[in-house]
Amino acid sequence: MSFIPELPVLLAYLAGVVVIAITPGPDMTFFLGRTLAQGVSGGLSAMIGASTGLLVHSLLVAFGLSALIVASPMLFFALKIAGAGYLLWLAFSAIRHGSTFRFESRVKPKSLWQVYLQGLGINLLNPKIILFFMTFLPQFVSAADPHASGKLLFLGLLFVVVAAPITVPMILAAGWLTGWLKRQPRVTRAVDWVFASVFGAFAVKILLTDATH
């Protein structure tokens, strides 16, 4: 199968994916937050949304569209503003309404479809992910390879497949904690602030992202 890289390249790629999958980021923060708010189904919906975003990023890289976005200062700046603004909105919502982790909230729970779309949005609006896919995936595919596009798409799909077994146990563990948190309202409110702070920090990090790095 021409779209599968050679074994040494594949093993090196898999090692990199594992390291990346266990590294905290906006996606992981959102997965855990939705799990604590809506149970395992909410966390998995968020994860599937973000995974869909990763597949979109893979398509963009494979067909060279990511390079066009990064090469355009206006487009890249607009993406940074949208991504940071979205994370800040999530942070504000967690503090203002406690909707992320407050179990006795009067706020109507989000549907799993809404959670999926939020996970997708967080992923697609993060310019750091575009830069990452532009620099990470091409390391494992030669530009002169006639099957380069197919290999890039394969690696993007493999990223999602390999990351899932790492992410799902984290979501299950967070779901297990939900029962305990229901009996600890002060702790749940503290979690609101912690996760809002994390979202805020990632928003600032996105704003500081340079297209040259």
Side-chain angles (χ1 to χ4, degrees):
M1 289 179 281
S2 58
F3 59 86
I4 299 180
E6 296 180 357
L7 184 58
V9 175
L10 198 57
L11 292 176
Y13 176 76
L14 291 175
V17 170
V18 171
V19 172
I20 294 160
I22 62 176
T23 302
D27 287 352
M28 180 61 69
T29 303
F30 187 64
F31 302 162
L32 298 180
R34 282 295 96 201
T35 302
L36 294 176
Q38 295 177 246
V40 172
S41 60
L44 292 177
S45 296
M47 185 193 77
I48 294 171
S51 297
T52 303
L54 292 177
L55 294 178
V56 172
H57 284 300
S58 300
L59 286 169
L60 293 177
V61 171
F63 294 104
L65 298 179
S66 293
L68 294 178
I69 294 174
V70 173
S72 170
M74 288 297 293
L75 280 177
F76 193 74
F77 178 74
L79 186 64
K80 288 202 301 182
I81 295 300
Y86 191 43
L87 289 178
L88 289 174
W89 176 77
L90 290 175
F92 174 77
S93 296
I95 297 302
R96 179 70 175 81
H97 304 294
S99 57
T100 305
F101 307 106
R102 189 175 296 171
F103 299 96
E104 302 298 330
S105 176
R106 295 180 181 177
V107 178
K108 183 180 179 180
K110 292 181 174 64
S111 69
L112 296 182
W113 174 246
Q114 289 175 311
V115 174
Y116 167 85
L117 291 178
Q118 281 193 309
L120 176 63
I122 289 174
N123 189 275
L124 290 181
L125 294 176
N126 188 347
K128 294 186 73 66
I129 295 180
I130 290 181
L131 291 175
F132 167 76
F133 267 66
M134 277 187 59
T135 56
F136 183 66
L137 293 186
Q139 293 181 51
F140 303 93
V141 179
S142 171
D145 191 330
H147 306 290
S149 294
K151 287 183 177 180
L152 288 170
L153 288 175
F154 172 78
L155 291 176
L157 178 60
L158 187 61
F159 189 104
V160 173
V161 172
V162 173
I166 297 172
T167 305
V168 170
M170 297 182 186
I171 292 174
L172 295 176
W176 179 77
L177 286 173
T178 301
W180 178 78
L181 287 173
K182 286 182 179 179
R183 302 188 295 272
Q184 305 291 334
R186 291 186 179 180
V187 175
T188 60
R189 190 54 181 160
V191 172
D192 277 342
W193 282 93
V194 169
F195 275 79
S197 299
V198 171
F199 279 130
F202 281 124
V204 172
K205 194 172 182 180
I206 283 177
L207 288 174
L208 296 177
T209 300
D210 188 340
T212 61
H213 293 84

